[in-house]
Amino acid sequence: MALEFETRFDPAYGDAVKVAPDVLRLTVNNPSAFTFHGTNSYIVGRSVLAVIDPGPEDEAHLRALLKAIDGRPVSHIFVSHTHRDHSPLATHLARETGALVCAEGPHRAARPLRIGETNPLDASADMDFVPDWALADDELVEGDGWAIRAIHTPGHAANHAAFALENTGILFSADHVMAWATSIVAPPDGAMSDYMASLDRLLARDDTMFFPGHGSRVKNPQRFMRGLKAHRKMRERAILDRVTRGDRTIPEMVSSIYRDTDPRLHGAAALSVLAHLEDLVARGAVTTETEPSIDAVYLPG
């Protein structure tokens, strides 16, 4: 199934954009190769509000959020995961509003570091984040005129969660499903087997509209997720093909598979290949004499 990305997006920095009844979007002015035009924050409700993903430490965005809140009480702040473009502003917004900060939990890796391994994503992790309310999988938080269900979706990050706005068909998919690009799955922060299982979890639901952490809405999430799944399977086949053809290292595979990709993303691409190889080694399709790593040598299974 062809995967078509939507790259048209007006971030409207500083302004609250109505994207659904009682749902506003504000985009942080933090564009990059990894954040697209910036991180999306969402304000849900009419009288007593919830905020989803306040974003990074950014004074202008904090002022924009408070302007859109317009003096109304905020009861809950939901954080999808603890990468620094999503979670740090929660502390400041909670201080301003008195809201409870809700998330799956503090930052953690998907697996322990191996001997001699360093985590290249440490700098992007908000290690200081601790929620007031650690949300269980499928836990429902009821507010004033809204209810939000936490759905654990590890893969991009071990503590990643999506948030479903009950009885609306709307799901805030954060970085798990985005219309503009595929999600980065980079060990040890994330795991490909977790990502694929979380994708199946969302495919089993009947949500009709996704609002992601970056870029525009996903209009047909079921079709799009089937495309994402097919894309990941195609990438897996490409990696197996390169190993069969004699590529033994991740840099060799990246130079071939990602030759048309922005070079700024090749580091992330290498980690994505590692995520696939970890899964392939676990399933016996590829072998390595050591633990799977960026520097390991890979052979056909």
Side-chain angles (χ1 to χ4, degrees), residues 21-244:
D22 297 332
V23 179
L24 302 175
R25 187 199 71 226
L26 290 93
T27 303
V28 188
N29 190 358
N30 64 330
S32 74
F34 298 98
T35 61
F36 194 37
H37 288 285
T39 304
N40 292 331
S41 300
Y42 296 94
I43 297 174
V44 176
R46 184 175 304 173
S47 299
V48 181
L49 309 177
V51 175
I52 297 173
D53 279 351
E57 294 275 10
D58 187 292
E59 182 64 28
H61 189 61
L62 176 61
R63 291 197 303 269
L65 284 170
L66 292 173
K67 180 182 177 182
I69 289 167
D70 193 27
R72 290 172 290 178
V74 179
S75 59
H76 298 79
I77 297 168
F78 294 87
V79 174
S80 65
H81 64 294
T82 45
H83 287 155
R84 286 190 176 275
D85 57 323
H86 287 261
S87 60
L89 201 61
T91 299
H92 300 278
L93 187 61
R95 189 180 301 130
E96 292 281 347
T97 62
L100 285 173
V101 177
C102 309
E104 188 269 0
H107 190 81
R108 67 181 187 278
R111 59 163 174 77
L113 285 175
R114 293 170 178 141
I115 295 174
E117 184 183 23
T118 59
N119 185 351
L121 299 178
D122 268 350
S124 69
D126 182 3
M127 303 302 293
D128 297 326
F129 178 87
V130 179
D132 300 313
W133 185 343
L135 296 168
D137 187 29
D138 207 39
E139 186 166 4
L140 187 68
V141 179
E142 297 189 70
D144 184 4
W146 52 263
I148 289 175
R149 187 176 300 277
I151 303 165
H152 291 184
T153 48
H156 172 70
N159 65 351
H160 194 286
F163 301 113
L165 188 58
E166 291 285 281
N167 302 315
T168 67
I170 290 171
L171 182 124
F172 299 95
S173 56
D175 285 8
H176 191 72
V177 178
M178 301 177 290
W180 76 283
T182 57
S183 177
I184 293 171
V185 181
D189 260 27
M192 189 60 67
S193 56
D194 288 346
Y195 179 85
M196 296 299 282
S198 296
L199 205 56
D200 285 338
R201 174 95 187 274
L202 295 185
L203 274 164
R205 292 177 52 85
D206 58 358
D207 306 292
T208 57
M209 188 71 66
F210 283 8
F211 290 114
H214 307 274
S216 62
R217 62 183 180 172
V218 180
K219 298 177 183 178
N220 188 334
Q222 291 290 323
R223 177 181 175 84
F224 190 77
M225 286 190 292
R226 289 194 295 271
L228 281 177
K229 190 171 181 179
H231 174 83
R232 295 290 183 178
K233 291 296 185 182
M234 180 182 69
R235 186 68 74 217
E236 179 183 285
R237 289 194 297 272
I239 291 168
L240 282 170
D241 179 66
R242 295 314 308 170
V243 173
T244 301

